[in-house]
Amino acid sequence: MLYHGSVIKDLKVIKANAYSHTLKKNVAYFTEDRGYALSCCRKPEENFVTMGLREGKQHYYERFPNQLKVLYQGKKGYLYKIFESQNLVNTILHTWECDTDITIDECDIVEDIYEEILIEEAEGNLVIHRYEEIDLAEQKMHANYIRDHIEDEMNTVCRDFLEKHFSKLWD
């Protein structure tokens, strides 16, 4: 089974409209990892996720206080599922991509994304590195990186969100 997480309800297909740095073209993305798919259930203006695989397991790093709660608590999401990989290519570890639209087989409605992420953590599928557990120098490095790149074009949609949650952490 492969997942695609979204805050958009009632999708029938996942469109190939996200750029793939691996395939160098627009693709539809899916993942084998339910925890990662949950983290994708967010609005574009809150597009700030710091998650990646380490030793085969997803690790989520909070880069500002209560990041997980801010992004996901009390928010509804949708986990779109396909049961066969169809025309998808396994590009990087748990990531699958396809340059054509993919028809959805089933959808799980997630009433509280945050609670589901905590379940993934409790089941050992995900490691969460909470902000207060992260070394102060590392916290500052990430906050100041955001400060130094806040005007970059890629941050246009989420600039207000980044400024709201990082400006008080800047040097």
Side-chain angles (χ1 to χ4, degrees):
M1 179 177 334
L2 297 175
Y3 301 96
H4 179 93
S6 180
V7 292
I8 302 170
K9 68 178 184 174
D10 297 331
L11 295 176
K12 303 298 181 220
V13 299
I14 301 301
K15 294 194 173 284
N17 61 7
Y19 185 74
S20 167
H21 295 286
T22 304
L23 299 178
K24 307 292 185 204
K25 55 185 164 181
N26 283 349
V27 298
Y29 278 107
F30 288 84
T31 180
E32 301 169 22
D33 192 312
R34 185 176 184 275
Y36 184 76
L38 286 165
S39 77
C40 293
C41 296
R42 63 194 183 280
K43 299 175 185 175
E45 60 270 18
E46 295 178 344
N47 189 13
F48 185 78
V49 173
T50 48
M51 186 177 213
L53 281 173
R54 214 169 88 196
E55 299 171 4
K57 189 176 283 195
Q58 288 291 350
H59 285 250
Y60 190 102
Y61 296 86
E62 287 190 319
R63 297 301 181 198
F64 61 84
N66 297 309
Q67 179 177 324
L68 277 170
K69 285 183 178 182
V70 167
L71 286 169
Y72 303 110
Q73 190 171 43
K75 297 181 182 177
K76 184 183 270 191
Y78 303 89
L79 289 183
Y80 294 99
K81 301 187 283 190
I82 58 172
F83 301 123
E84 294 182 29
S85 59
Q86 301 174 19
N87 299 323
L88 281 85
V89 175
N90 184 211
T91 52
I92 302 173
L93 301 170
H94 298 181
T95 303
W96 293 75
E97 302 176 7
C98 183
D99 63 358
T100 61
D101 298 347
I102 298 294
T103 303
I104 298 305
D105 291 322
E106 190 175 284
C107 177
D108 290 341
I109 299 170
V110 180
E111 293 298 331
D112 189 321
I113 303 161
Y114 178 72
E115 292 300 322
E116 289 296 316
I117 289 173
L118 294 182
I119 290 169
E120 290 293 320
E121 178 188 33
E123 292 177 354
N125 300 326
L126 163 63
V127 177
I128 299 172
H129 302 271
R130 289 170 174 77
Y131 183 76
E132 61 275 3
E133 300 165 356
I134 296 173
D135 178 71
L136 182 59
E138 186 177 336
Q139 291 174 359
K140 279 292 181 197
M141 178 189 72
H142 286 282
N144 289 334
Y145 180 87
I146 296 294
R147 177 199 64 208
D148 296 344
H149 295 275
I150 194 88
E151 296 299 326
D152 289 2
E153 185 178 340
M154 68 182 227
N155 291 325
T156 302
V157 174
C158 61
R159 187 171 292 130
D160 290 343
F161 175 84
L162 294 173
E163 192 166 316
K164 176 180 179 181
H165 294 287
F166 282 96
S167 61
K168 60 187 166 277
L169 305 173
W170 296 336
D171 286 335

